[in-house]
Amino acid sequence: MSVPHSVDRALDLLEAVARSARPVPAKSLAREAGCALSTVYHLMGPLVARGHVDRTPQGYVLGPRVPALYRSFRRHTGLDEETYGMLHAVRRLAGAHAYLSTRRGGRIAVVDSTASGCEGDPFEVGVDRGAHATAHGKVLLASLDRTARRRYLDEHGLPRLTEHTITNPDRFEAELRRVRTAGVAVSVGETDPAYTCVAVPLADGARALSVSLPTERFRGRRGELARVLSRAARHGIPAASE
C-alpha cells in the first residue's frame, strides 16, 4: 500500500525539523520540501495541534509530545537503565563506542548508542539503510531464514558504500555463513573507510550489540572486542517487548 503523498510530505517536514539544531522557518521547510509555503502551514498545523511540533517566532521546533513517544519507543525496544548501563560498560571495556541495533518490521535500525551526538559518529540512531555493510546488520541478517533475508535484500539491495562493501549476493551469503559459524561479525571500512565495527547477536536473535572505532585502531583487537561483546551479550540485556 502506497503512503498518501500528504502524509509522506508531512513526515519529511517533521524529520527536517528534527535534524535541525535550531528552529526552522516555514520558508526554509518549503524550500527543502520543494512545496508551497501554504502547503507547509497546512501540513504542519496538525503536527502542532498534536504536540509533535511547536511553532515559535524563530521557526518550528520539536514539540512536547516527542519525549513521550521516545519513552514508548525505549519501552518497546527493551531500552531501560540496565541496557543503558550495559552499553556504557561495553564502551568502557572496549574503549570504543557501543551500539544496540534491532531488526523489526522489515527494517534494521540503531536504537541506542554511547556515541549519540558525537561528531563523526558513523552509525547514528535511526533506520540503517546501509545495514548490509555494517557488522550489526550482518548479524541481524544472518539470523533470518533465507526467504526472509532474500525479501529484505530484494527491497534494500546491496548498494556500494565504499570500495570494501560486499555487493555480490553470493559473496554476501558466504559472509553471513561465516558470521553464523563464528557468532561474530566484522565490517572493516564497508560503510565508512575510516571506521570498523564488530557485532554479536543477542539471545533473542532480533537485536545486536556492537562497537565501532577508527580502523587505524582496530588492528590486532578483533578477538578482544569480540570477547567484550560476547560477555556483555551473555550477561543479558532485557528482551524487547513485541
Side-chain angles (χ1 to χ4, degrees), residues 96-108:
H97 281 301
Y99 301 78
L100 181 66
S101 305
T102 186
R103 185 192 71 246
R104 177 178 288 188
R107 293 178 178 175
I108 290 173

Side-chain angles (χ1 to χ4, degrees), residues 188-201:
V188 181
E190 293 181 45
T191 298
D192 183 323
Y195 285 90
T196 286
C197 52
V198 183
V200 299

Side-chain angles (χ1 to χ4, degrees), residues 36-223:
L37 188 60
S38 59
T39 300
V40 170
Y41 291 133
H42 173 71
L43 294 176
M44 295 299 275
L47 295 175
V48 171
R50 289 173 175 266
H52 297 298
V53 172
D54 268 343
R55 187 179 177 190
T56 73
Q58 294 75 37
Y60 290 100
V61 297
L62 291 180
R65 178 66 179 154
V66 172
L69 293 174
Y70 181 60
R71 286 193 295 272
S72 296
F73 167 77
R74 290 181 64 88
R75 184 174 66 252
H76 292 165
T77 51
L79 295 171
D80 58 12
E81 289 306 312
E82 184 175 349
T83 307
Y84 181 83
M86 178 74 70
L87 288 174
H88 282 269
V90 170
R91 167 74 179 88
R92 184 178 66 256
L93 292 169
H97 281 301
Y99 301 78
L100 181 66
S101 305
T102 186
R103 185 192 71 246
R104 177 178 288 188
R107 293 178 178 175
I108 290 173
V110 176
V111 294
D112 204 0
S113 84
T114 61
S116 296
C118 292
E119 186 176 354
D121 177 14
F123 307 118
E124 295 181 354
V125 169
V127 175
D128 189 345
R129 303 189 188 284
H132 65 289
T134 68
H136 59 260
K138 292 178 186 179
V139 161
L140 294 171
L141 290 171
S143 68
L144 289 172
D145 63 53
R146 192 176 183 90
T147 299
R149 187 163 58 252
R150 184 174 295 139
R151 188 182 311 120
Y152 178 93
L153 294 176
D154 284 345
E155 179 177 352
H156 298 279
L158 293 168
R160 184 178 299 282
L161 304 180
T162 75
E163 63 178 337
H164 303 294
T165 307
I166 299 173
T167 59
N168 178 277
D170 292 335
R171 280 191 60 208
F172 191 68
E173 281 297 325
E175 174 75 357
L176 296 189
R177 285 195 294 272
R178 286 192 289 271
V179 169
R180 284 191 292 273
T181 299
V184 60
V186 179
S187 170
V188 181
E190 293 181 45
T191 298
D192 183 323
Y195 285 90
T196 286
C197 52
V198 183
V200 299
L202 296 182
D204 58 17
R207 294 182 300 163
L209 184 63
S210 63
V211 293
S212 75
L213 69 166
T215 297
E216 62 187 18
R217 290 173 40 208
F218 175 67
R219 185 182 299 276
R221 299 196 62 201
R222 173 176 176 150

